[in-house]
Amino acid sequence: MSAASEWRAERNVAALARLERALPGVFPGAVLQHALARPLIPPTPRLAVESYWRAHLLRADRLARALATRSGHPEGWTWRLGTVKDSGLAATFRLPPSPFREPGHARGKGHCCICGQPVYRFGWHRDLWGAGIPNKNARWHAACVTAWKLWVAPSDQVKVLKAHQRHRCAASGKRLFKTAEVDHRVPLYRVWREHRDAPWPTLLGFWGAPNLQVVNRVVHVEKCGIEAGERALSRRGARAEPEQGSQS
């Protein structure tokens, strides 16, 4: 046995003992099964939950959007941008709208600032323990953390998305190369321009897996060129309208 293997074996013995001491009587079976199969066993239930969702990225994305649908569109909320500190508003339309991060719509301690639903032990989304109240120290579901990372940096998950597409380019159907890139089917500038008034849970789908695709770089470059021309045409049209109004 190599020194690295010996270290890992000793580390896992200690981690397993620590995990077993901390495990409650009720714990998600799939999470525990995943934890015990890891090369390095998570030493705490919370780390086991986080590891589970990182390994099930697309499942976390679906769950986060489903929880948002359960919360629904906050009354009186509109998608806005802003740069004021502590406003909860994103500075760019490239970030997903998150109404429950805004002070006026936040649901307080024990509720996820992404989906708005209660957060229970270990960042879980269901009250498996029958506590009846959320964990007042929590502000995120573990699944929503994983989903948020996908939404704001989908290119970091290109390996997972490639496998989901069976390593085929979503546009051409050809095999994906190493240089393949993640793309939004409906570009985010169009989401801001054309879908801004859509219900908030619907908006999240434009950042999630339904709107993500992996395409070969040559396809992506061509698509980006077309979109750049479209944006330029839109800007020229916007400038022309005031000029026409002043002449009439």
Side-chain angles (χ1 to χ4, degrees):
M1 180 181 292
S2 67
S5 298
E6 187 174 336
W7 171 85
R8 182 166 55 245
E10 292 177 357
R11 187 263 181 201
N12 280 341
V13 168
L16 179 58
R18 184 179 172 188
L19 177 63
E20 289 177 339
R21 286 196 302 269
L23 277 177
V26 176
F27 194 70
V31 175
L32 182 58
Q33 183 178 5
H34 168 80
L36 298 179
R38 301 301 298 157
L40 293 176
I41 296 174
T44 67
R46 176 172 286 280
L47 290 177
V49 169
E50 292 173 358
S51 174
Y52 174 81
W53 287 118
R54 284 197 303 270
H56 296 87
L57 177 71
L58 299 181
R59 189 177 301 174
D61 167 58
R62 289 195 301 271
L63 175 60
R65 289 185 287 107
L67 292 172
T69 299
R70 184 179 297 174
S71 294
H73 186 96
E75 185 177 356
W77 178 83
T78 57
W79 184 16
R80 300 168 295 138
L81 303 180
T83 56
V84 178
K85 186 178 180 181
D86 298 328
S87 68
L89 300 175
T92 170
F93 59 78
R94 297 195 175 279
L95 292 176
S98 48
F100 297 114
R101 299 182 77 180
E102 299 176 23
H105 297 282
R107 293 189 168 180
K109 296 179 179 179
H111 288 78
C112 181
C113 63
I114 297 304
C115 72
Q117 288 293 297
V119 186
Y120 298 99
R121 295 181 70 180
F122 315 120
W124 204 245
H125 56 284
R126 291 175 55 202
D127 185 12
L128 300 180
W129 302 272
I133 57 173
N135 177 1
K136 297 295 184 180
N137 295 320
R139 294 186 65 246
W140 298 75
H141 291 117
C144 291
V145 172
T146 297
W148 182 262
K149 291 178 179 179
L150 170 67
W151 299 343
V152 300
S155 295
D156 292 350
Q157 308 298 337
V158 63
K159 184 176 179 180
V160 174
L161 296 172
K162 276 184 173 181
H164 181 64
Q165 291 181 195
R166 301 179 183 273
H167 298 277
R168 293 288 170 181
C169 175
S172 68
K174 297 180 180 179
R175 186 161 186 82
L176 287 168
F177 301 132
K178 289 183 178 180
T179 55
E181 299 173 343
V182 179
D183 171 60
H184 291 91
R185 289 184 172 88
V186 179
L188 297 180
Y189 76 87
R190 281 184 51 196
V191 177
W192 171 254
R193 190 175 67 192
E194 302 171 11
H195 303 281
R196 196 182 313 175
D197 296 328
W200 169 66
T202 302
L203 286 173
L204 289 182
F206 289 108
W207 280 264
N211 196 40
L212 294 176
Q213 61 180 357
V214 184
V215 295
N216 282 320
R217 191 173 189 281
V218 63
V219 175
H220 197 198
V221 169
E222 182 180 356
K223 181 173 182 286
C224 288
I226 294 172
E227 292 169 0
E230 181 182 296
R231 291 198 299 273
L233 185 63
S234 177
R235 287 194 296 269
R236 286 197 295 270
R239 287 195 296 267
E241 286 182 4
E243 293 177 0
Q244 291 174 356
S246 63
Q247 294 173 1
S248 61

